[in-house]
Amino acid sequence: ANIRFEQPELVLYPPGPVSTQGCGRASSAAGPFYCPADLGIYIETGFFDQLAQMSGTNGDFARLYVMAHEYGHHIQNLSGLSGQVRSLQQQNPRQANQLLVRLELMADCYAGVWAGQNRALIEPGDLEEGMRAASAVGDDTIQQRAGQRINPEGFTHGTAQQRMEALRRGLQSADAGACDVYFNQR
């Protein structure tokens, strides 16, 4: 994209709150997140145990998928897309959640691109593990697990099916341009 690349900082922290340079304090309940103000990817290590329980898998690929997803947010920030989406959300608050979901699905797609570009390092069963992880963190799955009625208006990351499709799209193409479908950037 002809943008200056800056390496993000990966911060793995123990269960409990974390202080960030640019985004203040966050509780571990926030889950993995990207802080654009300090270019940090924050992952509470206990989340990986929770993900393993939710998805029924304890493999390394599910963990790498989560990190690659957050790395996707870093790319969105560097390219200016995150700022554009925030502006669109302010202009049209009714579409704020839909825009957020599209941003999250694009980050899933970017995670798939990373995996697709590194196929030689992927072991048998890894792709299935990634799909199970993507399904486990779908908004509909999370709402059902919490005993709630499925409420699309409350979605922040997309359904299990949408998340798996976004990951698959990136994986099959191994091309970041395939992820532009979420915002028609080119």
Side-chain angles (χ1 to χ4, degrees):
N2 295 321
I3 56 173
R4 185 174 167 275
F5 181 78
E6 294 178 59
Q7 185 71 28
E9 179 181 4
L10 176 62
V11 179
L12 299 173
Y13 64 97
V18 65
S19 292
T20 69
Q21 292 265 338
C23 296
R25 285 179 62 84
S27 75
S28 55
F33 67 95
Y34 173 71
C35 175
D38 65 14
L39 306 180
I41 294 171
Y42 293 85
I43 302 176
E44 186 254 302
T45 55
F47 175 79
F48 292 132
D49 295 332
Q50 184 182 5
L51 179 64
Q53 184 180 26
M54 292 185 313
S55 66
T57 182
N58 196 19
D60 57 347
F61 189 82
R63 294 173 183 197
L64 293 172
Y65 156 65
V66 170
M67 286 188 251
H69 170 94
E70 297 305 330
Y71 203 99
H73 287 308
H74 179 63
I75 301 302
Q76 292 168 331
N77 181 49
L78 293 179
S79 71
L81 179 63
S82 295
Q84 292 169 5
V85 169
R86 278 191 301 278
S87 178
L88 288 171
Q89 287 173 315
Q90 290 171 352
Q91 292 170 21
N92 193 344
R94 287 185 177 168
Q95 288 191 331
N97 267 22
Q98 292 172 348
L99 291 165
L100 177 60
V101 167
R102 289 168 50 196
L103 202 63
E104 295 294 340
L105 293 173
M106 184 182 222
D108 280 339
C109 184
Y110 284 158
V113 169
W114 165 81
Q117 291 178 353
N118 291 283
R119 281 187 185 275
L121 302 174
I122 295 176
E123 300 169 349
D126 280 352
L127 302 181
E128 295 80 9
E129 181 184 311
M131 290 299 159
R132 284 196 307 273
S135 177
V137 293
D139 288 321
D140 54 340
T141 305
I142 291 171
Q143 287 176 352
Q144 281 181 318
R145 192 178 310 111
Q148 300 171 355
R149 169 179 77 75
I150 295 176
N151 177 14
E153 291 179 16
F155 287 179
T156 58
H157 285 71
T159 66
Q161 188 64 38
Q162 288 172 321
R163 296 199 75 176
M164 289 187 302
E165 175 55 35
L167 181 61
R168 187 177 297 112
R169 174 186 300 278
L171 179 66
Q172 290 174 346
S173 71
D175 175 14
C179 303
D180 289 348
V181 66
Y182 297 100
F183 285 98
N184 298 321
Q185 290 192 306
R186 293 181 189 165

